[in-house]
Amino acid sequence: MISVVIVGTGNVAQNLYHAFKKSSEINIKQVIGRNREHLAFVQNKALISTDFSNNITADVYILAVSDDAISAVAQKFKGIDGVLAHTSGATSLDAIKFAQRPGIFYPLQTFTIGKIISLDTIPLCLEATNSKDLNILKTLGNQLSKSVLEVNSEQRKTLHVAAVFVNNFTNYMYTMGSEICAAHNIDFSLLKPLIKETASKLDTLTPIQAQTGPAKRGDQKTLHNHLQIIKDKHQRELYTLLSNAIKEKHGKEL
Amino acid sequence: MISVVIVGTGNVAQNLYHAFKKSSEINIKQVIGRNREHLAFVQNKALISTDFSNNITADVYILAVSDDAISAVAQKFKGIDGVLAHTSGATSLDAIKFAQRPGIFYPLQTFTIGKIISLDTIPLCLEATNSKDLNILKTLGNQLSKSVLEVNSEQRKTLHVAAVFVNNFTNYMYTMGSEICAAHNIDFSLLKPLIKETASKLDTLTPIQAQTGPAKRGDQKTLHNHLQIIKDKHQRELYTLLSNAIKEKHGKEL
């Protein structure tokens, strides 16, 4: 049995709470947040606390707060005896090095407000300053996911940058697609099977192998025709930039 | 019972062949390609033909050839009595208007060599010059997919542009992510659950609602840190451009 305290009320805190709750090997001792209303997701109301200067002992304190708040909130827990682990991809271990036993418990996933997803296959990227603390985090992680790995702060930051490309920027491409549809009164949901399959292709292909389209083929006629259709200046610039990048990557010349 | 001839041997031809074959209401009368070896996917060898000047009658001739070849190949079939429908998102009906009964049968999906996928939920975008021909294409489409719709050439071209953003450009974001991982000896497959969930979020959210990340939050510190990690000039430019675009879209200022 491993005991945890969750600090935070956002998407990560909520998803971890539900995942921890499912394991008979994990004892959630407390969930702490500033705002009692934001703690409504905690079904067992006895676990709720708004007191950050608590004295409850636990093996692990999960600090699932926004990047900006990590250091300040961690300060309130620096006296605790358990492992104090933040959940940020972009924040180094150094940000909480004043803690007695600093650690990182970073789930490499995008979380949506109000949507609880399975963490079963989500990489949990762990870091600690010694093997004992690392093993405690591993014990906790193994209860949630098949993919638990030690990742140092530099690797984790790199993963986070790559995640920005495949998640944040990909989603922005979806935004562009939806705006193009909206401008022509076309239902964006028609593109959803394509979006799903674009992601699924990576089950069997590398992104380089999976690349298709007019830029990849060097199909100047279609590239030209598309630029006739796109009226928005920003979308035109993006279309040209990314088409040229794909052409260059795949060895086609303008 | 509706009878079809398939012209072409690529990913679209192969996927349509397998989808047609599954329906007891569709009679594949012939599959025509230039190269007998490329026709190996056709299990019933009696259907294979390399003769484009054929005289087989069918309700629909599916012209699943590359965009550049559509007009030239269609010329060989201009005397036929059935509906002659190409499968391209980027090519207008006008490209084959010399046919007696031109049509379009465009599956809005990305097809991968050697991968046969279900067309069950794939939008089939149809166009014809009269309601009789449109109904024949609908009858055929309804055998394959729940999502069969009439889409005129202009709408279809717009859908194709939007598809380039959500598929081609999204895949390029995956390429960038994989290159960043490779440069730091990190296993790109760690990002695959994130990639899948990024696509799945659109089941319940619009892309604007689904946007997350440092640019959306206006988190200057992380944006700055990420640019320290990205060494490749092109990746840096892309990171800056897309982060600024997201910030602008979501009302945050630099």
Side-chain angles (χ1 to χ4, degrees), chain A residues 110 112 167 179 198 201 249, chain B residues 110 112 179 198 201 249:
Chain A
T110 176
T112 307
N167 169 266
E179 289 188 353
T198 303
K201 272 193 170 188
K249 177 83 47 198
Chain B
T110 175
T112 307
E179 288 187 354
T198 304
K201 273 192 168 188
K249 177 84 46 200

Side-chain angles (χ1 to χ4, degrees), chain A residues 155-191:
Chain A
Q155 290 171 317
R156 185 167 35 77
K157 284 183 190 174
T158 304
L159 267 174
H160 192 249
V161 173
V164 165
F165 276 89
V166 304
N167 169 266
N168 298 172
F169 294 166
T170 284
N171 188 73
Y172 187 69
M173 297 302 134
Y174 301 161
T175 301
M176 295 296 96
S178 75
E179 289 188 353
I180 290 165
C181 285
H184 292 80
N185 277 317
I186 291 169
D187 179 7
F188 174 65
S189 67
L190 291 172
L191 292 163

Side-chain angles (χ1 to χ4, degrees), chain B:
Chain B
M1 199 72 166
I2 187 164
S3 59
V4 294
V5 167
I6 299 171
V7 185
T9 59
N11 301 335
V12 175
Q14 292 190 24
N15 268 278
L16 288 177
Y17 167 77
H18 285 283
F20 288 157
K21 208 161 56 74
K22 272 193 281 185
S23 167
S24 59
E25 295 298 314
I26 299 173
N27 174 20
I28 306 175
K29 296 188 79 171
Q30 202 166 47
V31 185
I32 309 176
R34 269 181 307 187
N35 187 320
R36 190 165 287 274
E37 279 171 35
H38 294 171
L39 287 158
F41 67 94
V42 182
Q43 284 135 329
N44 181 349
K45 301 304 173 195
L47 300 182
I48 291 176
S49 169
T50 56
D51 180 11
F52 285 70
S53 59
N54 85 85
N55 289 304
I56 282 191
T57 56
D59 297 317
V60 182
Y61 291 69
I62 294 286
L63 210 57
V65 300
S66 68
D67 290 10
D68 289 348
I70 287 172
S71 284
V73 177
Q75 283 287 353
K76 300 178 192 282
F77 291 88
K78 69 176 172 183
I80 57 147
D81 187 46
V83 180
L84 182 66
H86 76 62
T87 60
S88 163
T91 308
S92 73
L93 195 70
D94 285 353
I96 56 169
K97 66 179 171 192
F98 50 78
Q100 295 190 43
R101 298 165 65 195
I104 288 166
F105 193 89
Y106 168 52
L108 181 47
Q109 185 52 291
T110 175
F111 295 101
T112 307
I113 196 87
K115 184 181 180 189
I116 303 305
I117 59 173
S118 166
L119 301 185
D120 200 35
T121 59
I122 308 308
L124 297 176
C125 305
L126 311 181
E127 190 177 355
T129 56
N130 60 68
S131 59
K132 183 190 160 202
D133 291 353
L134 187 67
N135 282 334
I136 291 174
L137 293 178
K138 277 185 183 165
T139 302
L140 183 63
N142 286 334
Q143 290 296 318
L144 309 190
S145 171
K146 294 185 206 87
S147 177
V148 174
L149 61 163
E150 188 182 358
V151 170
N152 67 36
S153 282
E154 198 194 311
Q155 291 171 317
R156 185 168 35 77
K157 283 183 190 174
T158 303
L159 267 173
H160 192 248
V161 173
V164 164
F165 276 88
V166 304
N167 169 267
N168 297 171
F169 294 166
T170 284
N171 187 72
Y172 187 69
M173 297 302 134
Y174 301 162
T175 300
M176 294 295 97
S178 75
E179 288 187 354
I180 290 165
C181 286
H184 293 81
N185 277 317
I186 292 170
D187 179 6
F188 174 66
S189 68
L190 292 172
L191 291 163
K192 290 183 184 175
L194 175 62
I195 286 170
K196 288 267 177 81
E197 177 63 14
T198 304
S200 291
K201 273 192 168 188
L202 299 186
D203 290 343
T204 52
L205 300 174
T206 67
I208 287 280
Q209 292 168 331
Q211 189 66 57
T212 58
K216 160 78 186 294
R217 292 194 304 275
D219 176 351
Q220 291 301 120
K221 200 174 123 199
T222 299
L223 292 169
H224 173 79
N225 289 342
H226 280 178
L227 286 172
Q228 304 300 308
I229 293 167
I230 308 172
K231 301 296 176 207
D232 179 85
K233 187 169 163 280
H234 169 63
Q235 287 167 1
R236 290 173 64 86
E237 282 171 2
L238 209 50
Y239 185 93
T240 303
L241 177 85
L242 293 172
S243 293
N244 285 339
I246 291 170
K247 274 191 282 195
E248 207 174 304
K249 177 84 46 200
H250 291 270
K252 303 269 182 181
E253 296 297 321
L254 253 171

